Amino acid sequence: MPARRKPRRSAKTRARAKRRREGGRAGSPRRTRAKRARSRPRARAARRPARRKSRKGPKVRARRTRRRPAFDPRAVERKWQAAWAGAHAFEASAEPSRPKWYTNVPYPYMSGYQHLGFALSFLRAEFQSRFRRMTGFNVLHPQAFHCTGLPILGAAKRVAENEPRQLEILKWMGVPGAEVRKFADPMHWIDVFPAATTRDLVGLGAAIDWRRSFITTPLNPPYDAFVRWQFRRLKDSGYLRVDKHPVVWCPKDQAPIGDHDRLEGEGETPVEYTLLKFPLPDGRLLVAATIRPETVFGQTNLWIDPRAAYVVARVGGERWILNEGAARKLAEQAKAVGVEGPIRGADLVGKEVVAPGINRAILILPSTFIDQGRGTGIVTSVPSDAPDDLVALRDLQKDAALLKRYKLDAERVRGIVPIPIIRTPGWGPLPAVEIVDRMGIRSQDDREALEAAKAEVYRSGFYQGVMNENCGHLAGVRVEVAKEEVRRQLAASGQADLMYEPSGEVVCRCTTRAIVKVVEDQWFLAYGDPSWKTKVHEALASMALYPEAIRKQFDYVIDWLRDWPAAHHRGLGTKLPWDDAWVIESLSDSTVYMAYYTIAHALQGGALRSEVPWASRLDDAFFDFVFLGKGAAAEVAARSGVTREILEALRSEFLYWYPFDLRNTGKDLVQNHMTFCLFHHTALFPKELWPRGFGVNGFVQMMGRKMSKSRGNVWYIRDALREWGADVLRLSVANAGDGMDDPNIDTDFAASGRSRLQEWYAFAVGHHATRSDRRTVDAWFLSTMNRSVASAREAMEQMNYKAALRHGFFDLQAAWAWYVRRAGGRPHAHVLARFIDVQTRLLAPFVPHVCEEIWSRIGGKGFVSHAPYPVAETSEVDVTAEAAEGLLSSTIADVREILKVTRIAPKRIAIYTAPSWKLRVHAVALEMARAGPIAMNALMAKTLEDPGMRERAKDVASYAKKLTDDLRHARPEDLVRRAAVADEAARFLEDREFLARELGARVDVYRADDPGRRDPAGKAEHAIPGRPAIYVE
RNA sequence: GCGUGGGUAGCCAAGCCUGGUCAAAGGCGAGGGACUCAAGAUCCCUUCCCGAAGGGGUCCCCAGGUUCGAAUCCUGGCCCACGCACCA
């Protein structure tokens, strides 16, 4: 702290304090301490991303210190964080007599400081933990750190190589220049970031049981053993399988290229090409690649680029002709390929080959459109449906010189015509002809137009097309189906084979163009298994989802998942127990570790990397016992080197906590991690231990924009804490938005939230003038407060925090402001105390630090974090008081409306309440409405029985008509409300002074049938129950 | 293309499932007022159009439909966001 002068208040501030002491007015909470917030300049600074420079100069700091003598959020936050830690406030153990609640979030990956994205997903879970704790649950909320996989290794390697971008990232995160070198070692990352994340979370006020924290990978032996156990069990269950697997592959690095390793081609995946074999008379096979095998029925010729070089290669027992690139690719795709020698394209032109599928002799013709980097460099020609083929054919047919050069039979070539093979709605028999003519494509070198044409024909043909009569037994079959069928049949008859290519151009970070490799002995998790999927759907069906809207997405993902390669040869992680060469991939090792948390405090011994001797030698028997209840305790204990008591305690601890009640995450994990989590739970655990709830949120935005490095608006948790402190940040996160839309952190809201919290603090601990006589407004406020409590509670249960904040904070504060105004600045002492108590507890899950501080000062017992969440007292809900207040405010609104329209500056305002005969009709109508829809004549008959009614039967009829219309759709509670204010005139008389103050004029109140009323404009006759007549002069 | 979610006043955003109480909550922005020497903060009022009496008109992406009645239900269309994998 810099040296500072003794806080000195201005004359004005002193005067205000004096007023307060003397009970001049209680004011609304927001009025009392408005001065010191100074949030303008800071709010502006907050709009910039945190570049940790000294944006708050000494001047600002000094002023702030002087102006805020009583409440320093940072000090308060530190104070209570220390108090919680000292009291072990959030360390949870099994207590069989109490209901439990178990929340967790996916552990974050340790390749850097955590930013607000993680903070948001974490806090949405943490709010729930704190809320549930206050509603009486024994709450477990642990947090671990993920180190498995490639990114840490990759980043460390890039630091070692001094890659500028990587160094820039470290600098951006705030790593001092001198420290950067250390990050060349992956272990340094694992030392630094879990500790840093822990500090960030503590600073955030997270209510975590830190005894259960750990890191992943073999660096932490018990966790490593746990993952091995999991994989052996999965293998036993038959959910782990070996198979071939195509991956996008860098031939230079000899490694698969994930999306993040690509310079180009994000999202591209391996696609299957059908290799069609065209025998030459000598038995060699020309091999063409296609993604449209169903078009074999329309083949007219084969295309070769006469300028290109091809090779003859021995593949299996056959001799294939294809280009050299294709030979190399096939060698990576589980085929034995031996190149024998070159062969020129030009030498093949003009020969005859037999087309597969149709078994007809066709000519090999020259063309220039073939992409030699894709497929085999040889293409079969289907001019009916392939624009490329059609245009190339036309080019050739027109080109006598070319025909002559290759000694082609001009007559035969010119005789080639497209063969209609597919019928597509909206298209003629020859789509390629149609589109080429429509687009006016003249040459096979007009690549752009041809690509567009191809895409259009392909799309409509694939989804809507049906095979023609000339397609043998596939006649009438949809293209989508026929495609697979043709491929299958040709492969079975040896006329076709398979080749993979990336679905689009992919370039590795090392600038090499990617190919597809088929990995031979890949281990898969069999997510494609239909019976497994069925169980997962079942698990999902019994879960709570927040928001419910995400359910369909989960169901879709469950069906969509195929077998997942679960291990690779690089990266950090647990080795496959039966094959050292494989490392379990990071999404696969992190699916059921929520179970590990339940016993982690014992296994970790207080360290992220366990050094507990017995825990570093765990075998499957231990986990079988603890998680599955298998085996004999004594025997397992003896093997593990742990006492039987501890072992059995761990078993019951697991059974107490499991399954978890809520796991919350960003929506990016829905289609992998969260769904995997379900798969693995159904595979390993009995039904009663399957997850109970998932929460999903969108991606955090700052001021309506996505947070991204390129925009320079990435906020790390530490930056936000420095800028706003924990409570303001938490409040901003709670207010950022519910549901699946991207939540938006609004710095303007943060600024005003900061001052609102300060106002609230000052109000809650301040002194206020009060009174002890009961008034209608007191009942109104208590009633309103209880409704707020009920709404807030319901919103909390649904994880709708923005709504909870609105009900439980903003609306409640607004109600208080109205109450104080209505009460002439003097709240009832008990109401005031109730308000402060309830408001503090409603806010506690969101802003626990300031609430603890208030709680301790208003005499709360223990931590507010452990105090009961407010319960709506139905006995305090007072419909009469609410109706009375509603009548008052709607009358004020009506008067204002009149003043606005007439632009009268009122000297006097008269209010006329309904005459007794209307009250009578109204009462009778309400009575009848209770029994069902009112019949007009019945109402008339009933009311006219009363003395004096017959004389004004006409008026009665017209009012009764209006009423019956009005009440036709009234609900029971409307009837109660309408009946609530028995004596409206008394109501207004009681509040005459208030009305006069609000409306700025004298207010007179009359009953409409009061003979002594003053009614120069004859307004009184318009008065009806619930709507007094008004006269302004 | 497939899947999911969505399009509401100047902007953000609730309501839609369970039709009427909806000219449609709340926030921001804007205007006016109170307080103040003043600014900020705070509080009050206003903020679709018309209106010298609390009223009327037109509205919830577009076009149809169901209904006594539609922001809400149905059909069709247009547009936007996210995901489509082996990776955190």
Side-chain angles (χ1 to χ4, degrees), chain A residues 328-370:
Chain A
R328 273 200 308 269
K329 290 173 199 167
L330 287 172
E332 295 283 14
Q333 296 182 5
K335 285 192 165 51
V337 179
V339 173
E340 294 181 341
I343 182 168
R344 299 192 321 149
D347 295 342
L348 292 163
V349 171
K351 294 188 189 311
E352 272 199 343
V353 285
V354 177
I358 50 176
N359 302 318
R360 267 205 311 269
I362 56 173
L363 274 177
I364 300 174
L365 299 177
S367 73
T368 56
F369 71 86
I370 302 171

Side-chain angles (χ1 to χ4, degrees), chain A residues 779-780 783-784 787 877-887 977:
Chain A
W780 172 82
S783 186
T784 304
R787 287 190 193 274
V877 171
D878 185 334
V879 179
T880 308
E882 286 176 3
E885 214 54 29
L887 178 64
R977 196 166 302 130

Side-chain angles (χ1 to χ4, degrees), chain A residues 276-293:
Chain A
L276 296 171
K277 301 179 194 171
F278 296 80
L280 285 163
D282 65 8
R284 292 182 300 177
L285 304 166
L286 275 84
V287 178
T290 180
I291 52 171
R292 301 201 60 186

